[in-house]
């Protein structure tokens, strides 16, 4: 099966959307799943949250960050991935929670926010609030890719206050928890913020599921690279996660493992840029 790109669109100056043919992944997709993308036969495997599955296609939001995401940004509709593996991961139960709040402040979190709010809203008895944080007005995604239509109440915040409420999702959530209005929190995005969110929700005794992103090598449970400790027990984020009970995550271990590969990634990016300079 050819995994052909059918749509590619900028979301803002840093993030773009890709829609790609992946029938097997689309058929089995559950909100909270991710896919493993392999651009070329010798390419690395990169995990990406799935924002939506429709027909035989899946949509993902991607940040131009390092070697592979920048290289992929030069691709156009009609270009095809070598392989797409998935759907991967074990999403948390999507059921009747009552007052549910989903918070996100980064590309992967925004994709999860969209997919999971859409599902949670379908269930009677859930009142779904989506909070999306962007740095400034210029970074906000086009309206159709925000969570506006997939929740009961949408709150947009910018860190500089240039549009929506000023501040981070954490400020709004704190107010809501103080008013006793939250039964369950879900969140994805920046890892240190998710650590702080887990501590904050614990203080208010509100349960939270957060994404715990780790470096994935195979993405299929074989290498152990994505291991995390949940309540002292080792789990694999590619198989058991990537969402876990935030109150039980060993955040310091997870954050320090994530920083381990920075030098290698910088080296890969430098090689890619040199290669591009040679081509131009
Ligand atoms: C479950 C999961 C879901 C994700 N969803 C999204 C998403 O929806 N959108 C998005 O833009 N990014 C997402 N990511 C992160 C994405 O996989 C990395 O940004 C991507 O691999 C970067 O590759 P690169 O070569 O462009 O950059 P690199 O320079 O190689 O890496 C840049 C940063 O990306 C992360 N990263 C790199 N390689 C991996 C890897 N193999 N596994 C996990 N993280 C890695 C690290 O934090 C690293 O510092 C997700 C990661 C995980 C684990
Ligand atoms: S990425 Fe290898 S075990 Fe999860």
């Amino acid at each position: 099966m050819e995994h052909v790109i059918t749509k590619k669109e900028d979301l803002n100056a840093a993030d773009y959307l890709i829609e790609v043919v992946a029938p097997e992944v689309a058929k089995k997709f559950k909100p909270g799943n991710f896919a493993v993308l392999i651009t070329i036969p010798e390419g690395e495997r990169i995990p990406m949250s799935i924002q939506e599955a429709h027909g035989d296609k899946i949509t993902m939001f991607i940040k131009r960050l390092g070697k592979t995401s920048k290289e992929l940004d030069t691709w156009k509709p009609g270009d095809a991935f070598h392989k797409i593996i998935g759907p991967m991961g074990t999403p948390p139960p999507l059921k009747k929670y009552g007052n549910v709040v989903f918070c996100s402040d980064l590309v992967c979190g925004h994709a999860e926010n969209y997919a999971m709010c859409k599902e949670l809203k379908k269930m009677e008895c859930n009142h779904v609030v989506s909070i999306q944080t962007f740095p400034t007005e210029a970074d906000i995604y086009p309206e159709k890719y925000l969570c506006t239509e997939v929740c009961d109440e949408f709150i947009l915040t910018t860190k500089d206050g240039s549009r929506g409420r000023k501040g981070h999702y954490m400020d709004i959530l704190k107010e809501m928890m103080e008013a006793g209005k939250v039964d369950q929190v879900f969140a994805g995005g920046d890892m240190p913020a998710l650590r702080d969110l887990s501590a904050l929700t614990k203080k208010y005794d509100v349960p939270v599921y957060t994404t715990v992103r780790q470096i994935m090598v195979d993405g299929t449970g074989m290498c152990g690279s994505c291991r995390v400790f949940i309540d002292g027990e080792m789990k694999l984020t590619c198989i058991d996660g990537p969402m876990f009970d935030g109150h039980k995550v060993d955040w310091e271990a997870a954050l320090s493992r994530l920083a381990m590969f920075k030098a290698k990634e910088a080296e890969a990016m430098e090689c890619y840029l040199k290669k591009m300079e040679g081509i131009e």
Side-chain angles (χ1 to χ4, degrees):
M1 165 54 64
E2 277 255 292
H3 295 297
V4 178
I5 296 175
T6 45
K7 191 177 2 171
K8 184 164 172 289
E9 213 175 307
D10 279 345
L11 294 167
N12 60 26
D15 304 345
Y16 57 94
L17 167 149
I18 271 192
E19 180 194 73
V20 61
V21 176
E24 285 310 306
V25 185
K27 196 164 77 188
K28 296 181 194 149
F29 165 74
K30 289 198 179 67
N33 281 140
F34 65 95
V36 174
L37 312 181
I38 308 175
T39 49
I40 48 172
E42 65 278 16
E44 62 175 349
R45 294 166 167 236
I46 60 166
M48 285 291 157
S49 306
I50 303 171
Q51 179 248 355
E52 204 170 30
H54 37 93
D56 62 352
K57 302 182 188 88
I58 57 168
T59 310
M60 291 157 292
F61 294 165
I62 303 180
K63 186 169 284 302
R64 300 170 180 98
L65 200 62
K67 181 186 172 290
T68 309
S69 52
K70 288 195 177 172
E71 198 167 15
L72 186 57
D73 188 30
T74 63
W75 289 23
K76 297 181 183 60
D79 291 335
F81 284 86
H82 170 60
K83 245 186 204 167
I84 296 186
I85 306 167
M88 302 305 300
T90 307
L94 294 182
K95 55 177 192 176
K96 292 172 190 171
Y97 286 105
N99 291 317
V100 188
V101 183
F102 203 119
C103 309
S104 58
D105 61 356
L106 255 190
V107 62
C108 39
H110 295 319
E112 289 158 353
N113 197 337
Y114 189 99
M116 294 178 79
C117 281
K118 193 173 173 185
E119 191 65 21
L120 286 161
K121 195 189 169 196
K122 285 184 197 159
M123 292 163 200
E124 262 177 62
C125 306
N126 278 340
H127 177 79
V128 183
V129 180
S130 169
I131 313 178
Q132 287 188 275
T133 297
F134 294 89
T136 71
E137 182 171 24
D139 303 303
I140 299 170
Y141 291 176
E143 186 71 30
K144 62 184 167 179
Y145 300 121
L146 293 176
C147 296
T148 329
E149 298 294 321
V150 295
C151 61
D152 298 299
E153 197 180 332
F154 178 63
I155 303 171
L156 179 76
T157 88
T158 47
K159 287 184 190 161
D160 68 351
S162 47
R163 202 170 119 199
R165 297 265 315 255
K166 184 174 179 180
H168 190 258
Y169 66 65
M170 206 91 70
D171 310 316
I172 317 282
L173 184 69
K174 188 165 182 272
E175 284 172 21
M176 293 171 85
M177 290 193 296
E178 259 161 21
K181 285 185 181 166
V182 187
D183 297 313
Q184 176 71 47
V185 175
F186 290 86
D190 178 60
M191 285 270 287
L194 293 172
R195 172 199 56 197
D196 298 347
L197 171 84
S198 298
L200 184 72
T201 49
K202 195 166 187 178
K203 196 171 142 200
Y204 288 90
D205 203 18
V206 174
V208 63
Y209 279 109
T210 85
T211 303
V212 183
R213 262 179 304 110
Q214 290 291 280
I215 298 293
M216 294 186 181
V217 176
D218 64 324
T220 55
M222 306 297 282
C223 68
S225 119
C226 68
R227 63 186 176 270
V228 283
F229 288 90
I230 310 294
D231 223 6
E233 204 183 321
M234 196 193 84
K235 298 277 178 194
L236 298 175
T237 56
C238 66
I239 300 291
D240 308 308
M243 277 203 158
F244 295 99
D245 176 341
H247 298 167
K248 296 184 175 164
V249 176
D250 182 340
W251 284 103
E252 293 323 310
L255 285 163
S256 68
R257 268 191 80 71
L258 200 56
M260 267 167 57
F261 299 88
K262 291 271 180 246
K264 281 253 169 281
E265 287 150 8
E267 203 182 298
M269 187 63 198
E270 206 182 316
C271 280
Y272 170 67
L273 291 175
K274 277 193 185 140
K275 192 174 126 196
M276 293 313 285
E277 275 167 23
I279 291 168
E280 279 160 13

